[in-house]
Amino acid sequence: MTAPGLRDGAPAEDSDDLDVEEALALVREAKDDGTGPARDPRPAEPHRHAPADRHRATPWPQAREIAARAARATRATRPATTSSAPRRTPLSVPLGDALGLVLAAPLDALSDLPSFDTSAMDGWAVAGPGPWTVREEGVLAGHAQPAPLTDGEAVRIATGARVPADTTAVLRTEHGRTDAQGRLHATRDMVHGQDIRPRGQECRSGDQLLPVGTQITPAVLGLAAAAGYDTVTVVPRPRAEVLVLGDELLTEGLPREGLIRDALGPMLPPWLRALGAEVLAVRRIRDDAKALHKAITASTADLIVTTGGTAAGPHDHVHPTLERIGAELLVDGVKVRPGHPMLLARTRDDQHLVGLPGNPLAAVSGLITLAEPLLRTLAARPAPEPYTLPLTEPVHGHPYDTRLVPVVLRGDRAVPLHYNGPAMLRGIAAADALAVVPPGGAGQGAETELLDLPWTTAGIGVCFT
């Protein structure tokens, strides 16, 4: 097997080499006064690339838990382990704008469903035993209550039409015939009430149809409309703002003269929308500490997402800016590859910042690790059920960090993809999911946890507009 992220023939052991951004993050001297992010109490495992403060990074599972809990706690509600729901004001939105949101109030029936006895089939409404004399005028859906039937009488009826009073059953079109005198006969046995949907069959007025916390799917929208709703009360969509940092980024054309194309500006907004966020703006900011400070302090978003600048280089301004504004650093580095120098901070009681590494696949790792759990909590959406599949081939592991490896799903197995270095998008562009490879790696056939990419599940969270 070719080592992930390497060209054919490259030595497998080199797949653990740190990229420049990760190396800078590891040598940064973090403050550790007991109020910072949770630390792994175990001593760092020796490694030829790992400096002494390597153990300060948060283990990957714990980082996701911190991100999921972060929106439920404020500075005044420590500890962050509180299980109270996020205090966000519910909104009443039209049905057409509610797809993917979560109910903040129960969906109670506003009337009986159906609200009158209706025909479940095209055919004849009949009264008493046959044969029946057929009325000349039929009954159509959407018309007023028809005249009652008398025994021995039938009337043509359409699906969804109101059933005349004293109707015994509805005889389907294919189950009836008329004789030479025009009388209707049944060609098979009938039972009382056949093919009639009685009033209140589905629900009675006041019944709870769906509880608080239900995610609104197309079927939920249909039920709400059928029940008479024009609007529903929902948890508002989290608002996100993207700050793309860096002097070296081009927005068009080919890379040139040390400049590279910005891959994150086009990728992050639709990805955040697929995770349930409303993207307010995408702002491009040069390597300027004052400009970054202004952008962060002026933002009204629930979540600010920055790209790059999370390490310790001369132009990495994210950490100093967060310190300057008094932000609370919840996660400062995660034991995951790619994406080690990611961070999560609380900038205000009602606002968080996720700092993504500048390398594209490392940024994806940060989205999945920190932004997805945080947005899920803000939107009150349930966590996806974890699942595993066996790998079709072994995946090289990191000695002490989790690895997130793009895979495609083939039947009941996961196929690891190559081109998965921190700066590569070729693998993730073809992927269905990310495999969560534990420290030490996973062998062929090993059951491995998978994280579906938001658009591969055909879920309602996919919203690219």
Side-chain angles (χ1 to χ4, degrees):
M1 170 184 174
T2 304
L6 299 176
R7 66 185 185 279
D8 291 343
E13 63 270 21
D14 286 347
S15 63
D16 282 335
D17 283 351
L18 304 181
D19 70 316
V20 173
E21 192 166 16
E22 289 186 330
L24 285 170
L26 293 180
V27 300
R28 188 175 61 81
E29 288 294 333
K31 292 183 178 180
D32 192 13
D33 57 3
T35 63
R39 304 301 187 187
D40 187 347
R42 298 171 298 178
E45 181 177 343
H47 190 263
R48 60 192 176 99
H49 300 295
D53 68 348
R54 171 65 187 80
H55 70 284
R56 295 177 183 272
T58 305
W60 182 79
Q62 186 178 346
R64 282 175 59 80
E65 292 173 4
I66 292 172
R69 296 195 307 261
R72 295 194 181 105
T74 66
R75 296 173 194 269
T77 61
R78 297 294 183 278
T81 55
T82 178
S83 58
S84 59
R87 295 189 300 273
R88 307 185 69 224
T89 304
L91 297 176
S92 180
V93 300
L95 295 187
D97 297 330
L99 185 66
L101 300 178
V102 169
L103 290 177
L107 193 73
D108 294 336
L110 302 179
S111 67
D112 297 344
L113 280 182
S115 56
F116 47 82
D117 293 349
T118 64
S119 176
M121 293 288 172
D122 292 335
W124 296 269
V126 301
W132 302 275
T133 301
V134 182
R135 287 182 186 172
E136 290 186 4
E137 293 185 2
V139 181
L140 299 177
H143 287 217
Q145 175 72 43
L149 293 176
T150 59
D151 279 358
E153 191 177 23
V155 64
R156 269 284 185 182
I157 193 166
T159 301
R162 296 175 66 124
V163 172
D166 300 324
T167 295
T168 302
V170 170
L171 177 65
R172 300 185 187 191
T173 299
E174 62 269 25
H175 296 164
R177 65 172 181 83
T178 55
D179 61 21
Q181 289 74 40
R183 291 178 300 177
L184 175 66
H185 298 260
T187 60
R188 62 178 61 186
D189 292 339
M190 295 175 54
V191 296
H192 192 279
Q194 179 174 305
D195 289 326
I196 295 175
R197 291 190 64 210
R199 176 174 181 166
Q201 181 186 50
E202 187 167 3
C203 65
R204 290 292 185 180
S205 179
D207 287 352
Q208 185 179 108
L209 303 177
L210 293 170
V212 170
T214 299
Q215 193 165 6
I216 299 175
T217 65
V220 171
L221 292 176
L223 176 61
Y229 283 85
D230 300 316
T231 63
V232 287
T233 303
V234 297
V235 178
R237 198 181 301 277
R239 299 164 302 157
E241 185 170 355
V242 179
L243 307 181
V244 181
L245 313 181
D247 292 340
E248 74 280 13
L249 302 177
L250 295 169
T251 58
E252 60 183 13
L254 294 173
R256 62 182 183 272
E257 300 173 353
L259 303 178
I260 59 173
R261 278 297 297 269
D262 168 31
L264 298 182
M267 180 175 70
L268 292 182
W271 202 311
L272 288 166
R273 293 187 189 105
L275 293 176
E278 173 191 356
V279 179
L280 301 179
V282 179
R283 308 188 192 282
R284 300 181 184 278
I285 300 176
R286 297 183 64 86
D287 290 324
D288 183 318
K290 290 183 179 179
L292 178 60
H293 178 272
K294 180 178 180 181
I296 292 175
T297 54
S299 176
T300 60
D302 302 302
L303 172 63
I304 303 170
V305 177
T306 63
T307 70
T310 56
H315 299 293
D316 292 331
H317 301 302
V318 174
H319 280 96
T321 300
L322 292 175
E323 185 175 357
R324 178 183 174 189
I325 66 175
E328 181 183 10
L329 206 54
L330 303 175
V331 174
D332 188 10
V334 177
K335 293 183 179 180
V336 66
R337 302 303 172 92
H340 174 278
M342 64 180 73
L343 62 85
L344 170 64
R346 182 179 287 115
T347 50
R348 297 197 298 262
D349 277 353
D350 60 350
Q351 185 185 74
H352 292 80
L353 181 145
V354 169
L356 303 178
N359 277 322
L361 189 58
V364 169
S365 176
L367 274 179
I368 298 299
T369 301
L370 299 177
E372 186 276 330
L374 179 68
L375 289 171
R376 183 184 351 113
T377 299
L378 287 171
R381 293 166 64 176
E385 288 294 327
Y387 75 102
T388 65
L389 284 179
L391 299 173
T392 59
E393 58 184 272
V395 175
H396 185 66
H398 192 274
Y400 42 76
D401 288 358
T402 299
R403 284 193 65 204
L404 300 181
V405 177
V407 297
V408 291
L409 307 183
R410 295 292 182 262
D412 60 352
R413 291 182 174 271
V415 182
L417 296 171
H418 304 288
Y419 302 102
N420 53 33
M424 297 181 179
L425 287 174
R426 184 172 171 181
I428 194 69
D432 299 315
L434 288 170
V436 182
V437 179
Q444 181 176 356
E447 289 284 341
T448 305
E449 180 183 355
L450 298 180
L451 303 174
D452 285 325
L453 299 181
W455 46 86
T456 61
T457 55
I460 49 77
V462 182
C463 178
F464 294 107
T465 59

